[in-house]
Amino acid sequence: MLKKCCSQAVRLSSPGPLQEFISSFCTYSSLVSSSRRLKTIDATPREVSGQRASSKLRSQGQIPSVVLSRGEYSGDGLGHVSKKLLVSTDRKQIKSLLWIVKPELFCSTPFELQIRAGSGSSCILQSGRVLPVKLHVSPETREVLNLVFEWLDDKSEISVDVPVVIKGHETSPGLQKGGTLNKIINSLKFQCPVDEIPQKVEVDVRNLDVGDKITLQDLEFNPSLKLLSKIDSRPICKIVRK
């Protein structure tokens, strides 16, 4: 039987000796927060939408983007209606951020969005925290075609798909014996405060042997987060024989 050394989730911010010490006693999981200093994305307003206008923007090195915000209560039973702000973002800047943050973590990482009057302008029309909620990539060229953001400053909570990241491969007894790691769950959906959005859920397999598995019941999360995913009894991951 696999025995858990510590089931308490550890919220990580910046690396350090204390963090490494705590992590060494945590076998299963930790929520890694994205609350570090936010990276900035520059944008400019755009007035025209549609396929032709979007193609023209892309030919100029821009990405057609949308920023969503929760509008006023509609009063007709639809609840709050989202408002859309059309902007364009710089392809080179987004590509650089994807390389730094990693594509799989991009949509669980908040950014500071600065909407400027024009490209290179020092006049900032609007700024605030946003979360990317959709990243549309061309399957042929792997270029980003469209981006959708959501303002964070006008709400207290948000629903986020948080990627599951496996660590501890190097010292797993099961993998050292030739076993194969089978990752079943790739992400978990949380309702979380906008100030405590976890960038990823790290699942540590360093003590797993062949036949061992980690289930949702093995993980503990920050009490401020509400798990929305329904995965029943399926394991997060397991080590099987080849």
Side-chain angles (χ1 to χ4, degrees):
M1 285 290 292
L2 176 67
K3 292 185 179 181
K4 179 168 53 174
C5 298
C6 169
S7 63
Q8 183 178 3
V10 180
R11 293 194 62 234
L12 306 180
S13 51
S14 57
L18 178 59
Q19 175 186 311
E20 294 172 0
F21 174 79
I22 294 174
S23 298
S24 68
F25 285 90
C26 185
T27 303
Y28 284 149
S29 78
S30 58
L31 281 169
V32 179
S33 172
S34 56
S35 60
R36 62 184 65 86
R37 183 177 179 181
L38 301 184
K39 293 176 173 58
T40 299
I41 293 176
D42 294 319
T44 54
R46 62 184 176 101
E47 297 181 356
V48 183
S49 60
Q51 186 173 353
R52 181 175 295 180
S54 295
S55 296
K56 183 177 180 180
L57 277 175
R58 294 186 191 106
S59 69
Q60 297 170 347
Q62 299 292 307
I63 300 172
S65 306
V66 174
V67 190
L68 302 176
S69 62
R70 191 172 68 168
E72 297 298 324
Y73 194 77
S74 65
D76 56 5
L78 297 177
H80 288 87
V81 179
S82 292
K83 296 180 179 179
K84 294 197 301 184
L85 177 64
L86 301 179
V87 298
S88 61
T89 51
D90 183 74
R91 181 192 299 148
K92 288 183 179 179
Q93 185 185 43
I94 297 300
K95 183 179 288 188
S96 175
L97 289 172
L98 283 169
W99 185 83
I100 294 170
V101 174
K102 296 183 180 179
E104 63 271 22
L105 305 181
F106 189 74
C107 287
S108 57
T109 303
F111 293 89
E112 178 76 15
L113 183 69
Q114 294 185 347
I115 302 176
R116 299 178 179 272
S119 180
S121 172
S122 60
C123 177
I124 299 176
L125 303 176
Q126 191 174 358
S127 66
R129 292 178 301 165
V130 295
L131 183 73
V133 294
K134 187 176 181 181
L135 178 69
H136 182 202
V137 178
S138 167
E140 291 84 17
T141 65
R142 306 308 300 167
E143 292 287 348
V144 178
L145 299 178
N146 299 92
L147 270 172
V148 179
F149 302 95
E150 189 168 352
W151 288 115
L152 295 179
D153 293 333
D154 63 347
K155 57 178 64 66
S156 59
E157 292 187 329
I158 190 171
S159 173
V160 184
D161 282 310
V162 182
V164 172
V165 177
I166 306 296
K167 68 176 184 177
H169 305 74
E170 302 82 1
T171 56
S172 166
L175 296 179
Q176 289 181 346
K177 294 175 183 176
T180 300
L181 178 65
N182 187 3
K183 184 181 177 184
I184 295 112
I185 305 298
N186 291 312
S187 67
L188 295 170
K189 183 180 284 292
F190 292 93
Q191 186 77 17
C192 52
V194 294
D195 293 324
E196 298 190 39
I197 298 174
Q199 190 181 42
K200 57 186 174 181
V201 178
E202 287 189 331
V203 176
D204 198 335
V205 299
R206 72 182 120 177
N207 289 342
L208 264 61
D209 209 335
V210 174
D212 288 336
K213 61 184 178 181
I214 294 178
T215 67
L216 186 61
Q217 288 70 35
D218 293 318
L219 311 182
E220 292 187 7
F221 306 110
N222 189 312
S224 67
L225 307 179
K226 180 182 179 182
L227 181 66
L228 302 179
S229 296
K230 306 294 183 183
I231 60 175
D232 305 318
S233 58
R234 287 183 297 157
I236 303 292
C237 63
K238 60 182 179 180
I239 296 182
V240 298
R241 296 185 186 278
K242 282 189 177 180

